[in-house]
Amino acid sequence: MRYGVFSDVHANLEAMTAVLDALRREDIDEYIFLGDIVGYGADPAACLHRLRDLMSEKKCYCLAGNHDSAVCGLTDPAGFNAFAREAVRWTRKQLPARDIEWLKARPLTAGRADWAAVHGSLWEPQRWHYITGLTDARSHLERQQARVSFVGHSHHAWIISCREKAQWAGKTEESLEPGARYVVNDGSVGQPRDGDPRASYAVYDDGARRVELKRVDYDIELAQRKIREAGLPSFLAGRLTSGI
Ligand code: ZN
């Protein structure tokens, strides 16, 4: 089975379109979406509908992220920064009640025997912790039974392997060795923060025991123009150029 793994679209329709087009060429059997379809960008409704269309085409595990949870009222955005809070307020006004209800119904985790998926961390999915390094990864791995887990949330793409102890693994791809476990952050489709502004996603092949982190170019300028025209904070547009 080949899985297309993506997350943190953040209402960036141009980036989402580029990633879904790229995944369509990857012979994907099932999709895993790790949350944050909305927040920051100018196209929350269009992105949400693209995700629902994808779910009607193929099996797509579709999780909640912290921005999704804040927009539908399940998470208090008080802990968000000012730009994110403003984006939450703006996004709420763009979505009809049925889309808000759909966001409310998203689960926090998903998985099968060989993989687990969560937006933030497996140790407290509802608290939206970030895995920023090996110490956080160890807490996460204590809860991880499966060979590989997929996380998003930090918008940094990386792979951590764990045999006796957790360590950084291949930067863009990794063969999954028997007896080892892995944590894979798929980066962000719509607002990368790891210095590469291209949209990020991952492909997991359970038969070939291989995971790959991939990037694709998209029309950044168009996404930026829409953010500014929508009256969202221009900082949210500007940061897409640098991917930081
Ligand atoms: Zn995010």
Side-chain angles (χ1 to χ4, degrees):
M1 183 93 76
R2 283 172 67 78
Y3 294 93
V5 186
F6 65 110
S7 73
D8 299 278
V9 166
H10 287 295
N12 184 334
L13 184 63
E14 288 67 39
M16 184 181 189
T17 301
V19 166
L20 292 184
D21 286 351
L23 284 170
R24 224 160 254 135
R25 296 190 289 272
E26 287 274 2
D27 208 14
I28 295 299
D29 299 297
E30 295 187 354
Y31 290 88
I32 304 170
F33 175 69
L34 302 170
D36 276 359
I37 189 69
V38 299
Y40 298 134
D43 283 307
C47 288
L48 197 148
H49 297 155
R50 286 292 294 274
L51 195 55
R52 296 181 72 167
D53 287 347
L54 184 67
M55 290 171 88
S56 63
E57 282 169 36
K58 292 245 178 181
K59 173 84 181 165
C60 178
Y61 300 85
C62 187
L63 303 184
N66 55 320
H67 286 255
D68 307 326
S69 185
V71 164
C72 71
L74 294 178
T75 287
D76 184 353
F80 287 20
N81 68 45
F83 300 118
R85 281 200 308 275
E86 194 171 336
V88 166
R89 277 195 297 273
W90 181 88
T91 301
R92 277 181 184 151
K93 288 187 235 149
Q94 313 302 313
L95 296 178
R98 66 174 184 281
D99 289 343
I100 297 286
E101 290 307 310
W102 186 84
L103 286 176
K104 267 189 192 159
R106 293 307 94 215
L108 292 171
T109 60
R112 284 193 175 179
D114 66 319
W115 62 264
V118 64
H119 186 68
S121 76
L122 284 173
W123 78 90
E124 282 181 322
Q126 75 285 2
R127 300 280 301 274
W128 313 113
H129 299 298
Y130 291 91
I131 299 177
T132 57
L134 298 177
T135 305
D136 304 324
R138 278 193 278 277
S139 304
H140 174 89
L141 280 158
E142 280 171 15
R143 307 292 198 289
Q144 180 180 327
Q145 317 275 319
R147 177 169 54 188
V148 57
S149 68
F150 300 101
V151 301
H153 195 30
S154 71
H155 301 201
H156 286 245
W158 44 249
I159 304 170
I160 288 171
S161 67
C162 180
R163 195 176 288 274
E164 311 245 295
K165 59 182 184 135
Q167 57 185 26
W168 298 106
K171 280 203 157 72
T172 57
E173 59 185 280
E174 188 73 12
S175 291
L176 308 185
E177 306 286 342
R181 289 177 300 148
Y182 299 84
V183 188
V184 177
N185 193 316
D186 65 349
S188 168
V189 171
Q191 197 194 83
R193 294 177 193 160
D194 53 7
D196 183 341
R198 295 175 299 166
S200 183
Y201 61 101
V203 174
Y204 169 48
D205 189 323
D206 62 358
R209 294 189 168 217
R210 189 159 197 81
V211 65
E212 286 180 85
L213 297 174
K214 300 200 164 198
R215 310 296 281 229
V216 63
D217 285 308
Y218 73 95
D219 191 342
I220 291 177
E221 285 181 15
L222 178 55
Q224 290 174 315
R225 200 178 323 136
K226 287 181 175 179
I227 288 171
R228 293 191 180 104
E229 284 172 5
L232 284 158
S234 63
F235 168 77
L236 298 175
R239 76 184 307 176
L240 298 181
T241 306
S242 58
I244 293 175

